[in-house]
Structure formats: C-alpha cells, structure tokens
Amino acid sequence: MYILKMKGFKRLAKKLVAEWLYRLWIKNPREWSKGIVILMYHEIALRDTPVFRYFPVLCAAPESFSAQLDWLRGHFEVISMDEAMRRLTNGTGQDSRAVVITSDDGWMGFHRYGVRALRDRGLPATVYVTTSVLQGQVPWYVRWRLLLEQHPQMLALLARHVGRAEPFPNADSAISALKGLEYTRICSLWRQAVEIVPFEEGTLPSDWFIGENEVREALQSNITIGAHTVNHPILPREPEASLRREVNECKNTLEAISERPVLHFAYPNGDHSDLVIRCVQEAGYATAVTTTAGWNLPGQNLYRLRRVDVHEAACVDHRGRFSEAIFALWVTGEWERIKQRIGFLQ
Ligand SMILES: [Zn+2]
C-alpha cells in the first residue's frame, strides 16, 4: 500500500515538475534544441490487450499516439527518413527542428492504428520490417516472452542451460541474456524448451504482425519501408556469413514486394559493430538507425543515427492521460537531464 502511494505520488510530482518546466520553456521556443529527432515506436495497441500487457515498453495506446502526432505537428516539421538523410548530408539539418517517425519490427497494431492516424494527418513515417514476420513467423524475443510468462519454471531451467548459477529473476533478464547469444543457439534452446513445457507453437498469436498485403497498403499511405533483418538476430553476435545473409535477404524480399529500393535499415536492439556497419553499407543501404538516445545534427554518421524511444509511459500523467508537458520533455531529452539532477524522480 505504502509503495503504491509512493508510486502515485512520484507520478504526480513528475507531472507537476514537467508542467512547470514546460510552461516556462514553451514561451521561449528559441531555446529548444534544433536538429532532427527520430522517434522509435514499436506497437500501437489498446491498453487491455495481451500485447499491451506483455510488452508495455513497446506499446502506446491509439489515442496517445494520435495526441502525440497532433502535438508533434504543432511544434516540429514532420519529415520522411529520405528528407532527414538529405538535410543531414547537405547541412541544412541544423536550422530546422524536425521529427521522423519510425516503427520497428512490423507490428500489426502500428499498421492498424498508427498508419491510419498518420494518413489522416498526411504525415510520413518509416516502418522497419523484420521479413520473417511476413511469412507468419513470430520473432524469437516475442515467443520467448510468451513462453516465460506462461511457464516461469523455465526461468531456472534456461539459466542452467546458459551456464548461470542463479535462476533469472524475470523474463526481461532472461531475454537480455539470450541477446548475448548467436541466433542458431537461441533457436536450439527454444526447441529444447518446447519439449520440456507444454507450449503449443500453434497457440502463438497469428495476427500480431503484418503480412505482404499490409506492406503494400502502407506504401499507399506515405510510409517508407525500411529493413530490420530476416530473423531479428543481434547482429554483432552473428558469424559474418549469417550477418550478411540477414542484412541482404530482407532488402531483397522487401524490394520485391514494394518494387522500389529499400535504403533504410534498423539494427535489431540497436546493436551494431564496425563489421555490421560495413555489411549494411555494402548491402546498399544509405542510412541505419540505432537505439542510442539523442538528436541528430549534420555531420552525424548516417549509419549510427540516434533515436528517441517512445512508449505509453513517455507521454501519460499519473491518471494515464496524455500530457503534452511530459511528452515534450521526453522527446527533447530534457526529462533525462532533469532525472539525472533530481534523483527522486528516477
Ligand atoms: Zn526490433
């Protein structure tokens, strides 16, 4: 009870601090950062759905996303990734305050709610697609999350299999450990796991990710299709042959479906290395985005573009309602700076 009260109090304090700063700051937009901010979304989902419950840090509610778009177009220029690339290359990016909207993986809710909200407002966005989802496969980290939530006894078994003395405390830490492994090893652990626990692969959600038709539909709506590998492996863990296959095959698949060049790439989990960057360049991509937080100015390496992660908690107040003050501070990176100074709000 005490903890719940503290949480509620912290959320209220956050809203009050955010609103106070926002009021001071909105009066003087010249002080705002300039440059290009690339926002990273994943899924747009209703709050009472399983996908929202299992992946709260990947989801925003449709009404929050619409409110965010309205705030963004009132304060920023909303531009495509192609335009961002031009401005970062020709040096004009430092004079503008522009935002690029992106979504990773190919989640169906982003297509269903997000693309519609963007289309209604005439705004562009880029969707980075993991191409195995187009054939109905559920990405490995989604499968593992569902299995571990439904069968928590696997937390101890999996820990033993990866040579850890203690059981994983939760699904998050288990998935973080899996991200340290090569993709073939993650797959072999999965095959062992589903022999141990009664987890029917047929019960995996079949409608959480888009198919080829949705890719074609999105292209009608000012959406740029980018690539996000075939299987969502953590690229620096992969042997070079597999790394090149992951980077090249998804490009070929998406170009065949979209009948246009696919020039933009997103590293799964943001993880990259010099070799990964070289493979992405050699595959013919012109830009690649990471998950390193921050804005982009001309001179920024186009294969290490920074992004700001956005999900529901980035924009709602203590009552779960959209707060433009909280969202504004989040997008501009001000909130991170404030949190570092005021430890209580962490
Ligand atoms: Zn991803």
Side-chain angles (χ1 to χ4, degrees):
M1 193 63 190
Y2 172 75
I3 291 171
L4 275 179
K5 271 191 181 161
M6 270 307 282
K7 263 194 168 169
F9 179 65
K10 268 169 97 165
R11 288 206 195 110
L12 177 61
K14 174 178 171 178
K15 178 182 161 76
L16 294 173
V17 170
E19 282 189 345
W20 174 66
L21 285 166
Y22 184 59
R23 237 175 271 140
L24 287 179
W25 179 69
I26 194 113
K27 282 190 198 140
N28 203 357
R30 261 178 303 176
E31 281 182 14
W32 294 23
S33 324
K34 281 197 176 169
I36 297 174
V37 59
I38 305 173
L39 298 184
M40 172 177 66
Y41 291 88
H42 286 85
E43 173 66 322
I44 309 291
L46 300 173
R47 288 191 187 127
D48 58 358
T49 50
V51 66
F52 203 109
R53 265 199 311 282
Y54 285 125
F55 299 95
V57 295
L58 299 186
C59 290
E63 61 275 19
S64 304
F65 184 67
S66 295
Q68 290 174 9
L69 291 184
D70 288 334
W71 185 84
L72 287 169
R73 67 176 172 170
H75 297 85
F76 288 75
E77 206 182 335
V78 183
I79 61 172
S80 66
M81 187 55 85
D82 285 333
E83 179 59 19
M85 179 175 74
R86 261 192 297 278
R87 292 187 190 189
L88 292 171
T89 312
N90 69 17
T92 52
Q94 66 199 12
D95 306 323
S96 50
R97 190 176 298 116
V99 62
V100 182
I101 300 194
T102 70
S103 167
D104 286 9
D105 303 341
W107 291 87
M108 184 60 99
F110 190 87
H111 183 79
R112 188 177 296 140
Y113 302 109
V115 172
R116 189 189 302 157
L118 287 155
R119 190 181 53 219
D120 290 348
R121 292 163 178 79
L123 301 176
T126 296
V127 174
Y128 295 105
V129 181
T130 298
T131 50
S132 61
V133 307
L134 303 176
Q135 279 81 49
Q137 277 194 42
V138 176
W140 68 267
Y141 74 93
V142 174
R143 275 186 277 143
W144 273 103
R145 157 83 49 178
L146 295 175
L147 180 133
L148 292 166
E149 297 284 355
Q150 289 168 29
H151 301 284
Q153 73 272 29
M154 277 307 296
L155 291 168
L157 279 168
L158 182 62
R160 273 213 297 282
H161 269 82
V162 297
R164 228 180 93 114
E166 297 290 310
F168 291 112
N170 50 43
D172 270 342
S173 58
I175 291 168
S176 293
L178 289 170
K179 285 177 181 172
L181 306 178
E182 194 182 323
Y183 184 62
T184 51
R185 175 104 167 94
I186 298 174
C187 294
S188 84
L189 285 168
W190 175 261
R191 284 191 296 275
Q192 290 172 49
V194 292
E195 278 178 14
I196 297 167
V197 290
F199 188 85
E200 292 293 323
E201 299 216 38
T203 63
L204 283 167
S206 58
D207 56 352
W208 281 12
F209 293 91
I210 59 173
E212 291 187 16
N213 285 340
E214 284 76 20
V215 171
R216 291 192 196 96
E217 259 175 48
L219 288 164
Q220 311 291 320
S221 301
N222 214 3
I223 301 293
T224 302
I225 295 297
H228 195 40
T229 72
V230 179
N231 294 301
H232 210 278
I234 304 303
L235 292 173
R237 315 274 176 273
E238 293 301 296
E240 187 172 338
S242 145
L243 160 54
R244 286 193 187 273
R245 208 170 36 246
E246 286 285 344
V247 167
N248 289 318
E249 263 183 36
C250 59
K251 190 173 196 289
N252 296 340
T253 303
L254 292 168
E255 288 181 343
I257 298 169
S258 65
E259 298 176 335
R260 61 191 80 179
V262 170
L263 297 176
H264 307 290
F265 185 82
Y267 306 110
N269 208 44
D271 291 324
H272 56 283
S273 63
D274 290 345
L275 175 63
V276 171
I277 292 178
R278 200 160 66 242
C279 293
V280 167
Q281 279 174 319
E282 287 169 9
Y285 295 102
T287 73
V289 287
T290 67
T291 55
T292 307
W295 286 45
N296 301 283
L297 285 169
Q300 174 74 32
N301 183 327
L302 291 183
Y303 295 90
R304 292 180 195 270
L305 292 174
R306 297 159 183 269
R307 285 194 293 177
V308 171
D309 176 30
V310 184
H311 53 278
E312 189 71 353
C315 72
V316 294
D317 66 11
H318 58 300
R319 292 201 188 106
R321 288 192 302 221
F322 176 76
S323 156
E324 60 179 55
I326 291 174
F327 185 57
L329 267 61
W330 185 280
V331 169
T332 52
E334 289 297 322
W335 190 248
E336 267 311 303
R337 281 192 280 275
I338 295 162
K339 274 200 322 192
Q340 279 159 18
R341 262 183 252 147
I342 313 174
F344 169 74
L345 292 170
Q346 297 278 352

